């Protein structure tokens, strides 16, 4: 086959991705089917993002008033107000219909993408807001439902961290392949046709969901009996999450806040200074920093997949340590190389910490409240990003001050994580002695 031909290259890449997805027993347990569903979901999300790149929803320029950017950050939290109290308990109640729940979130996103296409075609950009919020909520609900079923599809030779890494990598790679296609369609036919294409891809993902094995929907007898007596609202607290999950959640939220702070602060800083180092254009400098962050996220996901599952608690703590050190270097030696290092390291740390957090929730949280736990973690992670972004808005445009505050946040988070990890070891030791 001629790999220089685009179609031949695409077919070869698809075969290689499918072979990798089925490796180490993933094809027998059904994990490979879930990887395919998530890859298609990632491609559809990329098409939506490309279509909306020039719309009102994503058109808040960096140079506008800080109050407008702050309002945008607060608005992005709106869908998450329903995620933890409503979506999580709802998904926990339909554990016997997990495939249907995942398919429903994909169909819902497809329908909303089609409605957004009609809004764009009718030159009514304000109509995009409620539909985009609904799509974001469905996207997070899909992520919660998908993460909750991973333990049921896990092969014996793969850790939870590695399985999550495969899922995220497949979504990122297919999203990267779909983005230029969406851009081409938008340039030729208009962004509304990119959204219509996204609708078709979402529906394909929903159809693939029913290829998951039937045991995804099964519930053990004792779980079924106990679930009949449970109330609609499931309380999620320390007793449900456990100390190790709480430490991982602190680390992941700290890195998400750090990412939000640096994203907003550096965008304002580079626009104000007109660039950095050898790059005199602020737009080019910002683009290079964003590219470094994207590479960091990809590298962090790949690195997390190569680490042992038992080290999942060390992943968030180690990520906070490395990211804090990078911010300190950026504050002391400001320049393009250190900015790239900060962007790459923090993005990689955020990806690694999220893998560690997800694997701990999947392994240590009871299945009857696992979806609620994932909903809570997603809401807290988004809240952390927004709070970090607000700090980035109010900070004066001084690189030493901004990166110094980021370093201080990292140091505080690291101390909190280490204290929690030490307390966790003590609690586990006492439990082991009691059992002994």
């Amino acid at each position: 086959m001629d790999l220089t031909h685009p179609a031949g290259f695409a077919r070869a890449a698809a075969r290689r991705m499918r072979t990798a997805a089925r490796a180490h027993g993933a094809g027998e347990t059904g994990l490979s089917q879930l990887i395919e569903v998530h890859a298609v979901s990632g491609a559809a999300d990329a098409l939506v993002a490309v279509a909306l790149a020039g719309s009102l929803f994503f058109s808040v320029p960096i140079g506008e008033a800080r109050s407008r950017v702050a309002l945008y950050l607060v608005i992005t939290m709106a869908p998450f107000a329903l995620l933890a109290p409503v979506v999580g308990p709802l998904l926990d109640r339909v554990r016997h219909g997990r495939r249907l729940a995942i398919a429903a979130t994909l169909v819902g996103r497809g329908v909303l993408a089609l409605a957004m296409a009609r809004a764009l075609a009718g030159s009514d950009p304000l109509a995009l807001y409620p539909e985009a919020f609904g799509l974001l909520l469905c996207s997070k609900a899909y992520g919660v439902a998908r993460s909750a079923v991973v333990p049921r599809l896990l092969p014996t030779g793969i850790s939870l961290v590695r399985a999550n890494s495969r899922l995220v990598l497949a979504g990122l790679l297919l999203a990267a392949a779909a983005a230029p296609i969406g851009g081409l369609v938008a340039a030729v036919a208009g962004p509304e046709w990119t959204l219509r294409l996204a609708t078709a891809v979402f529906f394909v993902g929903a159809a693939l969901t029913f290829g998951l094995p039937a045991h995804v929907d099964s519930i053990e007898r004792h779980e079924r009996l106990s679930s009949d007596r449970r109330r609609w609202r499931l309380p999620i607290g320390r007793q449900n999450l456990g100390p190790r999950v709480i430490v991982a959640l602190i680390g992941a939220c700290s890195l998400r806040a750090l990412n939000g702070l640096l994203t907003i602060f550096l965008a304002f800083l580079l626009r104000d200074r007109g660039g950095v180092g050898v790059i005199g254009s602020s737009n080019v400098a910002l683009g290079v920093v964003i590219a470094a962050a994207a590479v960091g996220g990809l590298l962090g996901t790949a690195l997390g997949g190569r680490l042992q599952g038992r080290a999942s608690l060390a992943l968030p703590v180690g990520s906070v340590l490395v990211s804090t050190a990078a911010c300190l270097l950026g504050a002391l030696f400001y320049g393009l190389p250190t900015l790239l290092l900060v962007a790459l390291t923090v993005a990689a740390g955020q990806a690694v910490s999220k893998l560690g957090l997800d694997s701990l929730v999947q392994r240590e949280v009871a299945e009857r409240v696992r979806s609620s736990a994932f909903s809570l973690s997603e809401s807290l992670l988004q809240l952390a990003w927004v709070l970090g972004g607000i700090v980035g808005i109010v900070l004066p445009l001084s690189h030493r001050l901004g990166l110094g505050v980021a370093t201080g946040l990292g140091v505080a988070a690291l101390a909190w994580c280490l204290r929690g990890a030490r307390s966790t070891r003590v609690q586990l030791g006492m439990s082991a002695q009691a059992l002994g």
Side-chain angles (χ1 to χ4, degrees):
M1 179 180 293
D2 182 13
L3 295 183
T4 60
H5 193 275
F9 179 80
R11 284 193 293 268
R15 278 200 305 270
R16 186 170 183 180
M17 181 179 295
R18 175 163 290 189
T19 300
R22 294 178 177 272
H24 303 99
E28 289 73 23
T29 63
L31 179 62
S32 61
Q33 288 93 323
L34 185 62
I35 292 174
E36 291 175 1
V37 171
H38 185 62
V40 172
S41 172
D45 281 336
L47 292 173
V48 172
V50 169
L52 296 181
S55 73
L56 182 62
F57 187 66
F58 288 108
S59 65
V60 181
I62 295 299
E64 287 194 2
R66 294 173 186 253
S67 59
R68 187 174 179 187
V69 180
L71 177 62
Y72 167 76
L73 292 176
V74 173
I75 287 175
T76 61
M77 273 302 300
F80 290 87
L82 296 175
L83 191 63
V86 177
V87 175
L90 175 62
L91 292 174
D92 280 326
R93 294 287 293 181
V94 296
R95 296 197 313 280
H96 58 282
R98 295 179 179 93
R99 290 181 297 180
L100 180 61
I102 295 175
T105 62
L106 287 162
V107 171
R109 289 149 75 191
V111 172
L112 288 167
L114 185 60
M116 293 165 72
R118 291 177 180 174
L120 281 181
S123 300
D124 186 15
L126 288 178
L128 290 176
Y129 279 94
E131 293 152 359
F133 291 163
L135 193 146
L136 179 59
L137 180 61
C138 287
S139 179
K140 292 303 179 181
Y142 159 81
V144 168
R146 181 213 72 211
S147 298
V149 305
V150 170
R152 289 199 167 232
L153 303 176
L154 190 69
T156 56
I158 300 180
S159 68
L160 282 167
V161 176
R162 191 169 187 179
N164 290 325
S165 175
R166 283 191 181 187
L167 282 165
V168 176
L169 274 176
L172 290 175
L173 291 175
L174 211 58
I181 297 175
L184 179 62
V185 172
V188 173
E192 63 273 15
W193 281 101
T194 304
L195 287 170
R196 292 178 180 125
L197 177 60
T199 296
V201 177
F202 278 129
F203 289 165
V204 169
L208 290 175
T209 300
F210 294 99
L212 294 172
H215 66 261
V216 167
D217 292 334
S218 64
I219 298 180
E220 298 296 331
R221 183 174 181 273
H222 70 275
E223 292 182 26
R224 187 180 298 112
L225 291 175
S226 63
S227 66
D228 292 338
R229 301 187 182 98
R230 287 188 290 111
R231 296 181 303 169
W232 168 252
R233 300 289 290 275
L234 291 177
I236 292 294
R238 289 179 177 269
Q239 69 277 14
N240 299 117
L241 296 179
R244 288 164 59 85
V245 175
I246 292 175
V247 172
L249 184 58
I250 292 171
C253 285
S254 301
L255 283 169
R256 190 63 66 91
L258 198 61
N259 183 274
L261 187 159
L262 291 172
T263 298
I264 302 300
F265 175 77
L266 291 179
F268 276 112
L269 181 67
L270 293 176
R271 177 63 62 89
D272 181 69
R273 297 195 174 185
V276 59
V278 297
I279 300 180
S281 169
S282 59
N283 290 334
V284 174
L286 183 59
V288 171
V289 172
I290 292 174
V295 172
L298 190 61
L299 290 177
T301 302
L303 175 63
R306 293 185 172 274
L307 298 176
Q308 294 298 321
R310 292 298 177 183
S312 51
L313 181 58
L315 299 185
V317 178
S319 300
V320 173
L321 174 61
V322 175
S323 299
T324 302
C327 291
L328 178 61
L329 285 176
L332 296 176
F333 308 102
Y334 178 76
L336 183 61
T338 52
L339 279 186
L340 296 180
L341 176 65
V342 169
L344 188 146
T345 305
V346 172
Q350 179 179 271
V352 171
S353 67
K354 184 65 164 60
L355 290 174
L357 172 62
D358 286 351
S359 67
L360 279 169
V361 172
Q362 290 162 346
R363 190 171 69 216
E364 301 192 3
V365 174
E367 188 173 12
R368 66 182 179 84
V369 292
R370 189 175 293 150
S371 294
S372 296
F374 272 115
S375 296
L376 177 64
S377 69
E378 290 293 338
S379 297
L380 290 177
L381 288 170
Q382 182 67 14
L383 177 62
W385 197 93
V386 169
L387 292 177
I390 291 175
V391 173
I393 291 174
V394 301
L395 283 175
L397 296 180
S398 165
H399 69 270
R400 290 190 183 277
L401 177 60
L403 291 169
V405 169
T407 303
L409 172 63
V411 170
L414 182 60
W416 199 356
C417 287
L418 291 176
R419 180 182 178 184
R422 188 181 305 111
S423 175
T424 298
R425 287 195 296 270
V426 172
Q427 292 180 31
L428 293 177
M430 293 176 62
S431 299
Q433 290 179 5
L435 291 174

